[in-house]
Amino acid sequence: MILETKKLVKEFGKLLATNNVSFSVNQGDIHAIIGPNGAGKSTFFNLITGYHLPDSGKVFFKGKEITKLPSYRRCRLGITRSFQITSIYPKLTVYESILMALLSRQRVTLNLFSSAEKYFREEVWSILEDVGLADQAHVNGDSISHGDKKRLELAVTLGTKPELLLLDEPTCGMSPEETESIMAMIKNLVDKKGLTILFTEHDMGVVFGIARRISVLHQGSMIADGTPEEVRASEEVQKVYLGGAA
Amino acid sequence: MSFDVLFNQFLSGIARGALLFLVASGLSLTFGVLRVLNFAHGSLYMLGAFLSYSIWKWLLIPVYGFYVATLLSALVIAGIGLLIEYTILRRLYARGWPEQLLATYALILIITDIVKWFWGGEFLSIPRPEPFTKAVFLFGFPFPSYNFFIIILGLVLVFFLWWLVYKTRLGDIIRAAAHDRDMVSALGIPIPWLFTSIFVLGAFIAGLSGAVTAPYGAIALGMDIEIIVECFAVVVIGGMGSLPGTLLGSFIVGQVYSFGIMYKPELALAFIFMVMAIVLVIRPWGIFGRPER
Amino acid sequence: MEANNTTDKNISWLKSGWWLILLVAAGIAAPYVISEFYLLILGEALIMSLFALSFNLLFGHMGQLPFGQAAFYGLGGYGIAMLMTKFQINFWLSFLAGIGLAALAGLIIGIFCVRLRGIYFSILTLAFGQLIFVIIYKWHDFTGGDDGIQGVFPPEFLKTPIAYYYFVLLVFCIAAFILWRITNSPFGYILKAMRENSERTEFLGIPIARYQLTAFVISAAFAGLAGALWAPFYRSVAPSTLMWIKSGEPVMATILGGAGLFFGPVLGTFIITFFHAYILGFTHFWAIIMGTLILIVIFFLPGGILGFIKEKIDNRKKTDQ
């Protein structure tokens, strides 16, 4: 068990965005969180990454409580996230963006007097190869295609050498072909680097194609949790997705 | 310390707060809608003061000339505001805020020299107008009745702005724009028109407040810098772009200044900035400000 | 393509390296070429350039616009001036103490300011800068208030204008080199990352506030260094060195020269300083000309002068290829 939440609660005013959610993610899994719009997926993600702090409940990472840690500390422990709305460095090159991640992960960033360009050449190139962006290494982040931005985003998160990677809608706005290639890439990374992945996704084809475990959120509560077959069979999930829910 | 002394000081603080509100409300309104912090707001205020002096002198109406001069100079400043918005700011909305800030900073330099050119460097003043020429005695202390005029004007402006922002259709747009600019565009309201009118209104208020300061203190070069820095303290304490925040900030700064002067005159201004620092430790975006992520 | 790009980079670095050597040589030769009046202006330009570079560490490299840098500049000047005249401490110790004072003030003020972004950061630094100005301006018994402090003399061997000029040149070159190294270090890269996308950078494991505070203190220390150079140069300090109008000078110089390039602020400062000295021979209405100049640069040269030149060169390269 790499990640565990216990009775997490988060309210925004009167809106109960996360309602008593307890769940866990197993080491090496590809775990999806699904749910209709407004189910509280993003909030739940934000509670895990430390963007928001929960009103009550606890979060554990590898058995250690991290409920109140700031985002950057969680990142140093090995939890990294990507963003639904692609969040890259527009005026840095692809190469530099990945270098940033490596620099911060290796804790050399308080070094004030050596040249940054000397660091991590091989590591950057190896990540560039992994995500297939090597030919665009010296292009600015804002001048590559949307699909490549998503790859870059993933590459930057990989640069922090995460153990648990949280992906918020990794295929959002991509063509079917791009979606397929990026999911294949993710699968490959899990096998090759032993990562654990927790992701949200609205495309059910993607979810059932890749996830080994699925949790379903509805109005802030977790209504189902299990293998894809179990979730598919759950009556409650069908009610929610077929619009029959009260 | 006796009650009457304190009350007198409190009342001076209210008058000062009212004057600060006159100036700061225009600054805050402009910032709330345009998201442009107009450094030159104080310069428009100064220009308003000098202009009202010249108009007053030219009118030669001894008793009520002041009121006419005030209104006229506020209108002229509004016209200058229109010119500034139309020729300079409008071209910069698409650019970064640092350029907008620097452009209004450049306006400070330009307006300062224009004032120096036309009026020279001397101190000028306008006598207090009827019926506010005499002091009234409160608990045996003389209190300039002109201060009541400022307080009343401040209250009028509070109610006017409250009515404008919360009771009119323009107010709905102003609040929407302060909240989310794209939404206003989506509603089909032409942003340039909205921005121009708000900036002109802000300039009008600046000119008006400059003109009414003339009989309150002296008219001099440097009055722009003095007031704008205090106004920054006001909006930072109250929360930038918030009308209630500006009101509360003006009240706090006015009081701190007034009692600070009584306690240690040379540090009155320092007290203001200390209060500001304390507020910001507790609420980094000011009392009524909203965090921006 | 990749190889091409890196060699390109090497060539441009070499080129700029040669330019630098030429410029430094010109700086060394200057006292034998120009009149004493212009030598003083040159010294002033170097000091103000250092001030502008300290500002641009935060603005151009980190993406935050401080509008209270004059407070640190002034504290550097007041630090050295007060220690030397009131406490009879020797020049070098006072010089270092001036820098230390500015850095300390930067630490205290920075703790409050780095929590804010954008215009809120600017306005808060401005307000804190004014706080320091007001304290020094009004504390007449201790700081001399309006009169400032006179009689700040450099040590005997630096007393001639030429000797002090060389001292300024040396300090400027060392300080600029250190700042240049900082901007190209891993730390400098993280500043750049915060400028581009601070949220993303936080999720790379960077405590944003702490890095911004570090940069803020470094910037304050270099502003203080400029101030500590200035006071003995001018033999006195006045409260106007702390005022927010003074804080506007590095902003203008940087935007004029180009914030995106390391030497942009230096170019901007040189233009403003020499232009100022020249134009004061004709008219007192210097501010209106300066204001108009700023507006022209904002409208017609969005990247500043160096930014404009670089763009032209880049475009030419593209068409050549």
Side-chain angles (χ1 to χ4, degrees):
Chain A
M1 214 174 340
I2 190 165
L3 180 80
E4 191 179 8
T5 69
K6 281 188 180 156
K7 296 189 173 174
L8 275 189
V9 176
K10 179 72 184 176
E11 284 180 65
F12 292 107
K14 282 177 193 156
L15 181 76
L16 197 55
T18 304
N19 183 11
N20 225 6
V21 175
S22 302
F23 96 127
S24 60
V25 178
N26 294 323
Q27 179 95 41
D29 239 353
I30 301 180
H31 193 138
I33 297 180
I34 60 171
N37 274 339
K41 290 172 294 190
S42 289
T43 307
F44 188 59
F45 247 57
N46 287 336
L47 292 176
I48 295 172
T49 57
Y51 193 76
H52 294 319
L53 293 180
D55 297 328
S56 67
K58 286 180 173 156
V59 185
F60 295 90
F61 180 65
K62 294 199 286 189
K64 188 182 167 219
E65 187 180 343
I66 57 163
T67 316
K68 298 245 145 75
L69 286 188
S71 305
Y72 73 89
R73 293 282 297 277
R74 297 181 200 220
C75 179
R76 285 180 181 175
L77 289 174
I79 306 178
T80 314
R81 73 170 297 176
S82 73
F83 291 81
Q84 182 174 357
I85 299 160
T86 318
S87 179
I88 54 159
Y89 297 113
K91 294 288 169 222
L92 299 185
T93 65
V94 169
Y95 182 96
E96 284 173 321
S97 305
I98 298 168
L99 180 59
M100 291 294 175
L102 284 162
L103 289 172
S104 49
R105 178 56 178 173
Q106 309 292 327
R107 309 285 289 274
V108 293
T109 48
L110 275 178
N111 188 333
L112 263 59
F113 299 110
S114 58
S115 171
E117 285 183 22
K118 286 191 300 211
Y119 286 92
F120 306 125
R121 285 213 181 120
E122 281 168 31
E123 288 92 331
V124 175
W125 283 110
S126 123
I127 291 176
L128 283 169
E129 298 291 343
D130 278 348
V131 298
L133 282 174
D135 53 336
Q136 303 197 69
H138 294 293
V139 181
N140 274 359
D142 59 356
S143 9
I144 56 178
S145 74
H146 178 76
D148 286 342
K149 281 181 190 162
K150 283 274 178 190
R151 284 165 192 273
L152 176 57
E153 167 115 40
L154 199 64
V156 170
T157 55
L158 286 176
T160 66
K161 306 240 165 93
E163 292 179 51
L164 173 62
L165 191 53
L166 288 96
L167 305 174
D168 199 354
E169 304 266 351
T171 68
C172 177
M174 285 180 135
S175 69
E177 300 81 48
E178 281 174 328
T179 302
E180 204 161 298
S181 91
I182 207 156
M183 290 326 281
M185 199 174 88
I186 289 173
K187 203 159 192 170
N188 181 31
L189 286 170
V190 171
D191 296 340
K192 199 166 128 192
K193 306 207 169 182
L195 295 177
T196 309
I197 291 194
L198 179 66
F199 72 107
T200 66
E201 183 57 62
H202 63 280
D203 183 337
M204 287 306 128
V206 170
V207 172
F208 284 94
I210 189 174
R212 293 176 196 151
R213 205 178 157 85
I214 298 173
S215 303
V216 187
L217 278 176
H218 179 52
Q219 293 179 348
S221 302
M222 189 155 290
I223 56 166
D225 184 24
T227 63
E229 293 72 34
E230 285 167 4
V231 168
R232 213 193 297 263
S234 156
E235 264 178 50
E236 205 156 354
V237 174
Q238 292 195 347
K239 251 201 265 174
V240 167
Y241 272 91
L242 297 176
Chain B
M1 198 149 308
S2 58
F3 169 76
D4 40 349
V5 176
L6 291 179
F7 183 75
N8 208 280
Q9 221 60 35
F10 172 75
L11 218 53
S12 307
I14 293 285
R16 178 135 194 115
L19 180 69
L20 282 172
F21 180 79
L22 286 176
V23 189
S25 60
L27 186 73
S28 190
L29 185 70
T30 316
F31 179 79
V33 179
L34 282 71
R35 295 280 136 181
V36 173
L37 184 69
N38 182 13
F39 266 16
H41 194 74
S43 306
L44 293 175
Y45 155 91
M46 174 170 75
L47 202 53
F50 277 96
L51 210 56
S52 78
Y53 172 84
S54 292
I55 296 174
W56 168 79
K57 240 184 135 182
W58 174 76
L59 280 172
L60 290 172
I61 310 172
V63 186
Y64 295 105
F66 164 77
Y67 300 102
V68 181
T70 297
L71 198 64
L72 281 179
S73 73
L75 285 172
V76 174
I77 300 298
I80 293 173
L82 180 69
L83 195 72
I84 290 173
E85 202 280 341
Y86 201 79
T87 56
I88 296 172
L89 288 182
R90 173 163 297 197
R91 293 155 203 273
L92 296 178
Y93 292 137
R95 302 271 288 278
W97 62 269
E99 276 120 329
Q100 297 165 1
L101 201 70
L102 196 69
T104 62
Y105 181 83
L107 286 174
I108 296 184
L109 300 177
I110 293 171
I111 294 174
T112 304
D113 263 9
I114 289 175
V115 169
K116 222 195 278 178
W117 185 295
F118 279 101
W119 287 277
E122 318 135 66
F123 284 72
L124 304 171
S125 75
I126 299 178
R128 288 175 184 165
E130 286 297 343
F132 302 106
T133 47
K134 298 209 172 53
V136 285
F137 283 83
L138 295 165
F139 304 104
F141 279 90
F143 189 77
S145 60
Y146 187 73
N147 285 7
F148 285 112
F149 172 68
I150 302 243
I151 294 172
I152 292 163
L153 197 66
L155 286 175
V156 169
L157 190 64
V158 169
F159 280 108
F160 169 72
L161 289 175
W162 172 80
W163 171 80
L164 181 77
V165 173
Y166 293 98
K167 294 285 156 193
T168 64
R169 173 158 162 75
L170 181 64
D172 295 340
I173 301 167
I174 290 172
R175 278 178 293 139
H179 195 249
D180 181 358
R181 189 177 297 178
D182 297 334
M183 197 175 83
V184 181
S185 265
L187 288 175
I189 297 135
I191 289 277
W193 173 83
L194 173 69
F195 281 16
T196 309
S197 28
I198 293 297
F199 193 84
V200 168
L201 178 62
F204 179 84
I205 297 173
L208 184 79
S209 40
V212 301
T213 326
Y216 179 82
I219 310 172
L221 277 170
M223 65 190 282
D224 53 340
I225 306 295
E226 205 175 298
I227 196 96
I228 197 77
V229 172
E230 272 182 68
C231 285
F232 286 157
V234 165
V235 294
V236 166
I237 289 173
M240 305 230 305
S242 153
L243 193 58
T246 309
L247 187 59
L248 182 64
S250 307
F251 174 78
I252 292 173
V253 173
Q255 291 305 324
V256 169
Y257 186 85
S258 183
F259 282 95
I261 270 199
M262 189 176 71
Y263 175 69
K264 220 172 176 37
E266 61 272 25
L267 288 182
L269 271 172
F271 289 137
I272 292 175
F273 291 114
M274 282 175 212
V275 169
M276 189 194 74
I278 294 166
V279 168
L280 286 168
V281 173
I282 303 161
R283 284 189 68 90
W285 280 274
I287 296 171
F288 282 91
R290 261 192 319 238
E292 299 213 337
R293 258 209 130 130
Chain C
M1 169 87 197
E2 291 139 26
N4 205 347
N5 239 312
T6 34
T7 44
D8 243 25
K9 235 177 194 170
N10 286 338
I11 288 170
S12 68
W13 151 239
L14 260 177
K15 264 188 198 158
S16 63
W18 281 112
W19 275 111
L20 279 181
I21 290 166
L22 272 178
L23 281 176
V24 173
I28 292 169
Y32 305 99
V33 181
I34 59 179
S35 68
E36 192 167 297
F37 172 75
Y38 277 104
L39 189 65
L40 286 176
I41 303 297
L42 187 57
E44 183 183 336
L46 285 171
I47 295 172
M48 297 318 289
S49 294
L50 185 55
F51 183 31
L53 283 175
S54 84
F55 161 81
N56 205 37
L57 179 69
L58 298 185
F59 179 61
H61 300 286
M62 194 175 84
Q64 293 262 56
L65 196 165
F67 224 103
Q69 283 300 92
F72 307 123
Y73 174 79
L75 278 179
Y78 267 89
I80 185 173
M82 295 195 42
L83 286 174
M84 283 182 70
T85 59
K86 305 245 165 184
F87 301 98
Q88 273 74 45
I89 292 171
N90 99 0
F91 174 84
W92 300 104
L93 274 178
S94 306
F95 189 79
L96 292 178
I99 301 168
L101 183 66
L104 182 68
L107 178 66
I108 295 166
I109 292 174
I111 287 171
F112 297 108
C113 295
V114 297
R115 299 194 294 167
L116 300 182
R117 295 275 168 282
I119 202 152
Y120 296 85
F121 175 87
S122 305
I123 199 107
L124 193 58
T125 49
L126 189 157
F128 272 112
Q130 281 304 106
L131 172 62
I132 289 181
F133 162 71
V134 167
I135 290 173
I136 289 188
Y137 182 62
K138 301 280 182 174
W139 197 354
H140 199 279
D141 300 341
F142 189 54
T143 62
D146 210 3
D147 306 328
I149 298 172
Q150 275 75 37
V152 188
F153 292 106
E156 209 50 53
F157 74 102
L158 290 178
K159 264 195 177 153
T160 67
I162 292 184
Y164 199 80
Y165 164 78
Y166 278 127
F167 176 59
V168 169
L169 184 66
L170 179 70
V171 173
F172 173 81
C173 287
I174 295 170
F177 178 70
I178 293 173
L179 277 169
W180 183 81
R181 288 296 299 224
I182 289 175
T183 54
N184 284 291
S185 72
F187 177 77
Y189 268 53
I190 294 301
L191 296 188
K192 217 162 34 159
M194 292 194 294
R195 175 190 77 200
E196 292 294 319
N197 189 340
S198 69
E199 187 184 62
R200 190 78 197 81
T201 307
E202 183 168 9
F203 283 101
L204 294 183
I206 297 293
I208 301 290
R210 212 178 299 163
Y211 277 72
Q212 297 226 340
L213 182 59
T214 309
F216 198 85
V217 173
I218 294 171
S219 166
F222 278 96
L225 171 63
L229 273 177
W230 172 258
F233 179 73
Y234 207 65
R235 307 291 197 255
S236 66
V237 279
S240 63
T241 54
L242 299 134
M243 248 190 117
W244 73 296
I245 291 295
K246 189 80 185 170
S247 296
E249 288 178 16
V251 189
M252 291 191 293
T254 301
I255 303 239
L256 178 67
L261 292 134
F262 184 81
F263 283 104
V266 179
L267 179 70
T269 308
F270 268 72
I271 292 173
I272 290 178
T273 313
F274 278 91
F275 186 55
H276 183 215
Y278 175 74
I279 208 116
L280 275 187
F282 306 99
T283 170
H284 288 298
F285 295 99
W286 139 257
I288 198 166
I289 297 168
M290 195 60 229
T292 316
L293 187 66
I294 297 172
L295 288 179
I296 290 172
V297 170
I298 292 174
F299 283 127
F300 300 109
L301 298 174
I305 294 170
L306 272 190
F308 178 74
I309 294 171
K310 183 170 179 281
E311 199 179 307
K312 284 273 154 196
I313 293 173
D314 287 353
N315 282 346
R316 185 166 301 167
K317 262 188 210 151
K318 257 180 213 159
T319 46
D320 283 354
Q321 270 167 9

